[in-house]
Amino acid sequence: MAYFCKKTVQNMKKYHILALLSAVLLFGACEKDKESFLQLDGENSTGPLLEVGQHETAVRFSSSLTGRYNGKKLTAVRWYTGPRAVSTTVKVYGPGSNNGPGTVLYTKDVSSSVRPFSWNEHVLDTPVSITGEELWLGIAFTHGETGQTIGCDAGPNKSGGDWLFTADGQWRTYIQRTGESVNWNIRGRVED
């Protein structure tokens, strides 16, 4: 009887060790599949009150931020929306200058799929290759009335986190325009 109990305890130890190793391997595999995001913002706090008309908000990810994802793909853009705008378009731009983005790499009207007062995600029809150069992720929208369409965090502003293009025809940061220190809730999902 003692031999049987001793053998059972030895087998149970083997199974516990096997279960522990399996859990470690499974956790490691999950970590490899973990999503990565280009992101400058924190949690959604509010949104700027923008007038009737066309606006575009964008986040500029410098080459120092995109460099660690060199060789991967931008597969989706995620953003926080307040009230639904008349129209909404997702845009991805290549490297530009300090005063604006470069060439449009991707654009898609997503007006019909936007869910108000929530995080939205658009999966790019064609992923954009990340080459280590800067990327701009933009959300363009048209207001039929004054509204808080794009979400932002509570700040403080991070360099590149708050670009705004409006009817004045210029890209300038929101902090330059208003003195408010925030970052747009716009993120890019990165995958292999």
Side-chain angles (χ1 to χ4, degrees):
M1 183 81 162
Y3 172 77
F4 177 76
C5 289
K6 187 175 182 182
K7 192 70 165 170
T8 302
V9 169
Q10 287 174 344
N11 286 338
M12 287 177 61
K13 285 181 182 178
K14 287 179 188 177
Y15 289 120
H16 281 105
I17 290 171
L18 182 60
L20 180 62
L21 287 174
S22 296
V24 168
L25 290 174
L26 181 61
F27 180 74
C30 290
E31 283 297 301
K32 288 180 185 175
D33 294 337
K34 187 177 177 182
E35 295 177 320
S36 295
F37 284 92
L38 285 169
Q39 173 181 350
L40 292 177
D41 66 313
E43 291 305 311
N44 175 257
S45 176
T46 188
L49 194 59
L50 298 174
E51 297 176 1
V52 172
Q54 296 179 337
H55 306 275
E56 185 171 353
T57 53
V59 176
R60 178 185 182 206
F61 295 99
S62 67
S63 58
S64 64
L65 295 172
T66 63
R68 65 181 163 173
Y69 299 111
N70 193 17
K72 296 188 178 202
K73 304 250 186 229
L74 175 71
T75 59
V77 174
R78 185 179 288 179
W79 73 99
Y80 190 88
T81 295
R84 185 186 295 239
V86 173
S87 66
T88 304
T89 303
V90 171
K91 294 185 174 184
V92 178
Y93 297 93
S97 68
N98 286 331
N99 296 320
T103 304
V104 175
L105 303 175
Y106 182 88
T107 184
K108 180 76 171 197
D109 184 322
V110 295
S111 303
S112 63
S113 63
V114 173
R115 294 179 330 270
F117 302 103
S118 63
W119 284 96
N120 288 266
E121 183 172 272
H122 170 68
V123 176
L124 278 57
D125 297 333
T126 305
V128 173
S129 296
I130 299 175
T131 63
E133 296 181 298
E134 76 176 22
L135 283 175
W136 292 61
L137 305 184
I139 305 296
F141 48 89
T142 302
H143 280 169
E145 56 189 46
T146 300
Q148 293 174 288
T149 298
I150 191 71
C152 63
D153 65 14
N157 170 261
K158 294 179 183 171
S159 178
D162 67 336
W163 286 91
L164 178 64
F165 184 85
T166 58
D168 66 7
Q170 294 180 22
W171 281 99
R172 292 192 328 201
T173 62
Y174 192 65
I175 198 168
Q176 288 172 325
R177 292 177 185 271
T178 66
E180 291 185 53
S181 181
V182 299
N183 302 285
W184 305 136
N185 292 134
I186 303 173
R187 305 169 182 179
R189 183 162 30 112
V190 176
E191 297 178 282
D192 290 328

